[in-house]
Amino acid sequence: MSQTSYVIGHQQPDTDTIISAIAHARLKQAQGEDVVAARAGDLNPETQFVLERWDVEEPTLLEDATGEQLLLVDHNEHSQTVEGARDADVVEIIDHHRIGDVETSNPIRFRNEPVGSTATILTGLYDEADVEIDEQTAGLLLSGLLSDTVVLRSPTTTETDEVVAERLAEIAGVDYEAYGKELLKQKSKLGEKEPREMVLGDFKEFEFGDADVGIGQIETVEPAPVLEQRDAVLEAMDDVVAEREYALLVLLVTDLLEEESTALIAGDHTDTVEDALDTTVEDREAFLPGVMSRKKQVVPPLEDAF
Amino acid sequence: MSQTSYVIGHQQPDTDTIISAIAHARLKQAQGEDVVAARAGDLNPETQFVLERWDVEEPTLLEDATGEQLLLVDHNEHSQTVEGARDADVVEIIDHHRIGDVETSNPIRFRNEPVGSTATILTGLYDEADVEIDEQTAGLLLSGLLSDTVVLRSPTTTETDEVVAERLAEIAGVDYEAYGKELLKQKSKLGEKEPREMVLGDFKEFEFGDADVGIGQIETVEPAPVLEQRDAVLEAMDDVVAEREYALLVLLVTDLLEEESTALIAGDHTDTVEDALDTTVEDREAFLPGVMSRKKQVVPPLEDAF
């Protein structure tokens, strides 16, 4: 490649997106390519903790990707890409989500696998390329894997994720259950957040047919402080729906220990939520036992319903 | 999987599409899955020769995929899928083309690599799954690889294709240069074809922005018999443009030995062809030295131009 390329994850970056950008850029650099890690937004507290813990610098903030060469990690739909990505040249995609709407003119490598994290796939790519995973990189990859799979408890978790987690933990020199608990604590640092931050902190936009739909998620070991502020949170959700002309906004408040979610609803499509998720919405709230994964348990039925 | 799934390639199937369906179904069956090989249309003479040569039955014709589970091979855009694919459940994609418009609700495996054939990628998947490639399957995979890369001469050919071809030839017990020449001869059996068959025999449809564009290709070691009938062929092209409301139809007549193509043009966008392919169209014909690959040398510049 003649120009510097950027490895970049989705907007509202989470830990798997950030560490995937870093780890994949390192792999490409080890193969002699001119590639740097980038990010499409601010780091959340969990990701800040991870980068401090493993003593790694945060990726470059890329504000506009127009004209750039991009390697997309952890997403493959334009509603989630960095600004300007439609006018950039996408040269590679590594992801573990549904197949979205990013198209290319040329044949490129697109590696999508239905596993728990992009970090899991990247670990395999290091092996394929015969590049050694050092202690620090293993720590980063393990963090992405444990964060996205809620320490291997999410229903998105596969046998491959379990095998890879054990191996990465050994290289990184940590006990993954204990380290995972530290991560979960960081995820739950929500007490001091503003309602709008709670809604948009881990947020994804989708186009389901003609409808623009936003789905936020708060993963926590302590849902009470969030649900106690539900009226203020619902007000913030209404503001977002009005500003962005959403047909629907769902905020999942996911209890990581009880493995269940409470959904708060804004927008006009309460019926669609009830049909799609087989639940009852009362007072703009629905209880979803067993639901932990936005990607696997909420997006597909909502898309089908719209 | 609870229902039988179909591995299926693109419409107007070529050898790589048909043998990929067969070889991938065999791999899945070896892993205990209920998967059968299918096809979206009639076999061309080269593919018929290959199946006879290796004594393999042709895949099931799938006329309508509505409601079925599909594993797509050798394509990933809806303009090329079997009828009904928009209302089917796509559960896996293995391909080597540009990233197209097939979307899914759930995360699935999508393996796209910029190599010369889908057969090349499938050979790697056998290795990953630790499933042995028998002599017959090696013969099929080698046929797809040699057909799509014009016996490793097309500019889409990579080092990986070369390594894989040598290995498959050894397992299949053939000399790949000699076997490749036999295949090329089959490709060239065009003398007795009707002009309309020449246009639509190896044909792909694209949506470039708002424009529907058709690009056909005749790969031959003897272009003269085709070009001698150019007026009848152009008339057939005009009919197709009128019926399907194309903005443009390009027919590439590719000389496999000289490694060059002559393009015949129908539709209103002659200027776009001149700009995109950096050529001059005279009397509805353009000469394209060095052009052998529709996918790599014609589709990307045309898409950019539209």
Side-chain angles (χ1 to χ4, degrees), chain A residues 84-96:
Chain A
R86 281 183 195 275
D87 302 309
D89 191 15
V90 174
V91 297
E92 190 170 305
I93 307 173
I94 313 290
D95 193 14
H96 69 130

Side-chain angles (χ1 to χ4, degrees), chain B residues 73-93:
Chain B
V73 288
D74 200 34
H75 71 304
N76 77 101
E77 46 195 307
H78 275 302
S79 59
Q80 297 165 13
T81 51
V82 59
E83 178 87 30
R86 282 183 195 275
D87 300 309
D89 191 15
V90 174
V91 297
E92 190 170 307
I93 307 174

Side-chain angles (χ1 to χ4, degrees), chain B residues 263-278:
Chain B
L264 299 175
I265 316 289
D268 293 329
H269 284 73
T270 302
D271 292 359
T272 312
V273 174
E274 291 191 325
D275 289 352
L277 303 180
D278 194 19

Side-chain angles (χ1 to χ4, degrees), chain B residues 5-305:
Chain B
S5 306
Y6 295 94
V7 191
I8 192 161
H10 54 75
Q11 290 181 35
Q12 318 284 352
D14 59 12
T15 299
D16 193 37
T17 251
I18 293 291
I19 67 86
S20 291
I22 298 170
H24 197 36
R26 288 182 175 187
L27 173 58
K28 291 283 173 184
Q29 287 157 10
Q31 295 174 303
E33 293 190 37
D34 182 11
V35 172
V36 300
R39 61 188 165 90
D42 293 335
L43 302 187
N44 69 31
E46 185 199 56
T47 310
Q48 286 173 21
F49 166 83
V50 166
L51 297 191
E52 276 166 36
R53 167 69 178 79
W54 297 99
D55 196 18
V56 178
E57 273 185 42
E58 64 180 29
T60 315
L61 178 65
L62 189 63
E63 298 197 56
D64 188 341
T66 304
E68 303 292 355
Q69 282 194 339
L70 302 182
L71 296 82
L72 304 185
V73 288
D74 200 34
H75 71 304
N76 77 101
E77 46 195 307
H78 275 302
S79 59
Q80 297 165 13
T81 51
V82 59
E83 178 87 30
R86 282 183 195 275
D87 300 309
D89 191 15
V90 174
V91 297
E92 190 170 307
I93 307 174
I94 314 291
D95 193 14
H96 70 128
H97 293 88
R98 78 186 193 102
I99 307 305
D101 62 355
V102 171
E103 297 187 34
T104 66
S105 298
N106 284 295
I108 64 165
R109 181 203 242 183
F110 187 168
R111 191 69 78 94
N112 202 80
E113 300 282 345
V115 293
S117 73
T118 300
T120 310
I121 304 168
L122 284 172
T123 304
L125 293 183
Y126 269 79
D127 293 345
E128 278 180 35
D130 210 14
V131 172
E132 201 196 341
I133 299 173
D134 61 29
E135 183 182 326
Q136 190 189 51
T137 305
L140 294 175
L141 289 167
L142 180 66
S143 305
L145 198 170
L146 294 178
S147 169
D148 250 35
T149 61
V150 193
V151 195
L152 305 178
R153 283 190 193 89
S154 160
T156 59
T157 309
T158 66
E159 217 180 294
T160 307
D161 297 303
E162 289 165 12
V163 172
V164 168
E166 281 184 28
R167 183 177 147 214
L168 290 172
E170 199 177 310
I171 303 173
V174 298
D175 175 303
Y176 76 76
E177 274 290 348
Y179 178 62
K181 266 181 204 153
E182 276 189 83
L183 283 186
L184 288 191
K185 264 190 234 157
Q186 301 301 325
K187 245 191 198 146
S188 308
K189 280 191 176 166
L190 291 160
E192 63 272 40
K193 278 205 174 178
E194 294 296 319
R196 191 180 171 91
E197 278 182 85
M198 291 186 189
V199 177
L200 296 177
D202 174 5
F203 193 77
K204 292 192 176 172
E205 261 185 36
F206 300 89
E207 273 182 54
F208 296 150
D210 294 331
D212 290 325
V213 175
I215 310 179
Q217 185 169 27
I218 296 170
E219 295 174 302
T220 175
V221 291
E222 251 185 318
V226 181
L227 295 176
E228 279 160 16
Q229 301 180 57
R230 52 158 267 150
D231 291 344
V233 173
L234 280 165
E235 204 173 299
M237 289 170 64
D238 289 336
D239 289 346
V240 173
V241 165
E243 287 160 25
R244 304 188 182 179
E245 298 181 3
Y246 284 153
L248 176 70
L249 195 170
V250 178
L251 179 66
L252 299 166
V253 183
T254 301
D255 187 325
L256 297 174
L257 298 181
E258 298 295 328
E259 309 195 354
E260 63 193 26
S261 295
T262 302
L264 299 175
I265 316 289
D268 293 329
H269 284 73
T270 302
D271 292 359
T272 312
V273 174
E274 291 191 325
D275 289 352
L277 303 180
D278 194 19
T279 186
T280 311
V281 177
E282 259 180 61
D283 200 16
R284 305 182 60 184
E285 191 173 313
F287 179 63
L288 305 171
V291 169
M292 298 182 78
S293 167
R294 169 170 49 194
K295 178 173 71 175
K296 206 158 174 174
Q297 297 172 295
V298 178
V299 172
L302 270 181
E303 186 185 20
D304 287 350

Side-chain angles (χ1 to χ4, degrees), chain A residues 197-226:
Chain A
E197 279 181 86
M198 291 187 190
V199 178
L200 297 176
D202 174 5
F203 193 77
K204 291 193 177 174
E205 260 185 36
F206 300 90
E207 274 182 53
F208 296 150
D210 293 333
D212 290 326
V213 174
I215 310 180
Q217 185 169 26
I218 296 171
E219 294 174 303
T220 175
V221 291
E222 253 186 316
V226 181

